[in-house]
Amino acid sequence: MSTLTAERPTPELATRPKAPKRRMRGESKLHPLAWVFVVAVMAFSLIPFYWLVNTSLKKGASLSKGELFPSQPTLENYLVVFQNPEFLLALRNSVIIAVVTTTVALVFASFAAYALARLKMRRKAMILTLILSVTTFPAIAIAAPMFSIWREIGLYDTLLGLIIPKLTFALPLAIYTLTSFFKEIPRELEESAYMDGATPFVAFRKVILPLAVPGLATTAILVFISVWNEFLLAVTLTTSPEARPVPVAIAFFSGTSEFDQPLGTISAASVIITVPLVILVLVCQKRIVSGMTAGAVKG
């Protein structure tokens, strides 16, 4: 009498190695030459900043020595900078100018970019080209006329007199950058909001803006950095420490004596004004990554 028995896996099958996992789509292994290129770019970007920090830690005769590491590092240059009331005043001016200009540019640019991305109008590409061309316009061409106009109307050597011209260059950049982000947002989201009874402004504020957080953060970084580092208009339209931003104030640094080189204090001040930009990029980078999934629709 025969009986049916279930087949058991043989030891060879049980110990068969598992098939290697397939590489996920989008994953790629960088070529060694690509890593060499990445390291070279990082070194090219970081070495000047390291040399700036290195110089800021030197004092006296060691400033003229090309040492890779300072033999006697000191923080005296930083103490001198923070004890300089004109630098602190210029730092405050730069913060006010950059924050106000960035905020105003984002508010107006968000409405203008949304209109350019959604409304049907003729020659839209030409309008965007004209807007972008303003950012490439040389500031030196308007510095002298603006100097004369500002002196006549009383805006010379004031913070408002710096915010307005900086805004004329920051606003077109913000509009052009945000337009590309708004174009990537599906129109179906707005149509769904309209069907629920939302007005165009409510749909823009509650549906579109949360999805455009990555674009707003990126635009804010670009505008803030360009305004913070701008020098030509700042040095042309100011003459007193009460209105000078920090890049211009650093240019007027002088040594403690006639033969003293202010290289150490200039380097220390440059490091100090670079730190806020680094912090801003790091904070906004996290916001960009989290904003990419904000308001995502599950399918």
Side-chain angles (χ1 to χ4, degrees), residues 99-115:
V99 171
V100 173
T101 304
T102 302
T103 303
V104 175
L106 285 181
V107 171
F108 285 95
S110 60
F111 290 109
Y114 180 70

Side-chain angles (χ1 to χ4, degrees), residues 46-111:
L46 295 178
I47 287 178
F49 182 73
Y50 168 75
W51 198 257
L52 185 67
V53 176
N54 183 19
T55 306
S56 68
L57 298 176
K58 296 179 180 179
K59 190 69 177 177
S62 59
L63 288 171
S64 59
K65 299 179 181 179
E67 299 174 336
L68 186 60
F69 302 99
S71 57
Q72 296 178 348
T74 178
L75 297 177
E76 185 176 350
N77 292 323
Y78 291 91
L79 296 177
V80 172
V81 170
F82 279 114
Q83 291 174 358
N84 187 348
E86 293 186 2
F87 175 81
L88 298 178
L89 182 59
L91 190 61
R92 187 209 65 175
N93 294 338
S94 289
V95 171
I96 295 175
I97 294 171
V99 171
V100 173
T101 304
T102 302
T103 303
V104 175
L106 285 181
V107 171
F108 285 95
S110 60
F111 290 109

Side-chain angles (χ1 to χ4, degrees), residues 116-135:
L116 290 172
R118 287 293 188 261
L119 297 180
K120 295 181 180 180
M121 60 182 67
R122 299 177 57 185
R123 300 175 180 175
K124 185 185 299 185
M126 182 180 297
I127 296 175
L128 289 174
T129 303
L130 292 176
I131 291 175
L132 183 62
S133 64
V134 176
T135 61

Side-chain angles (χ1 to χ4, degrees), residues 120-290:
K120 295 181 180 180
M121 60 182 67
R122 299 177 57 185
R123 300 175 180 175
K124 185 185 299 185
M126 182 180 297
I127 296 175
L128 289 174
T129 303
L130 292 176
I131 291 175
L132 183 62
S133 64
V134 176
T135 61
T136 61
F137 194 81
I140 189 64
I142 65 172
M146 190 167 291
F147 172 82
S148 301
I149 296 174
W150 260 219
R151 288 181 65 91
E152 292 292 333
I153 63 178
L155 288 178
Y156 180 76
D157 201 28
T158 62
L159 296 182
L160 182 60
L162 288 178
I163 292 174
I164 294 175
K166 290 176 184 289
L167 187 61
T168 58
F169 289 96
L171 189 58
L173 175 63
I175 293 175
Y176 186 85
T177 305
L178 287 177
T179 300
S180 60
F181 280 96
F182 284 133
K183 287 182 179 180
E184 299 297 326
I185 299 177
R187 292 177 179 267
E188 290 77 8
L189 298 176
E190 299 163 83
E191 296 175 357
S192 299
Y194 296 154
M195 294 180 63
D196 292 337
T199 62
F201 179 75
V202 173
F204 171 74
R205 182 171 60 88
K206 293 187 176 182
V207 178
I208 302 302
L209 284 183
L211 296 176
V213 167
L216 293 173
T218 303
T219 305
I221 293 175
L222 295 176
V223 172
F224 189 91
I225 292 177
S226 63
V227 174
W228 185 271
N229 293 330
E230 199 279 325
F231 179 81
L232 179 61
L233 293 176
V235 74
T236 304
L237 302 178
T238 58
T239 187
S240 65
E242 286 74 16
R244 284 175 185 163
V246 70
V248 180
I250 293 177
F252 283 89
F253 271 13
S254 60
T256 56
S257 63
E258 182 180 358
F259 302 99
D260 186 20
Q261 296 182 357
L263 183 58
T265 54
I266 291 177
S267 300
S270 301
V271 173
I272 292 172
I273 67 173
T274 305
V275 170
L277 300 181
V278 175
I279 295 176
L280 176 66
V281 171
L282 293 178
V283 172
C284 291
Q285 183 181 15
K286 296 179 181 179
R287 185 61 178 171
I288 291 173
V289 174
S290 62

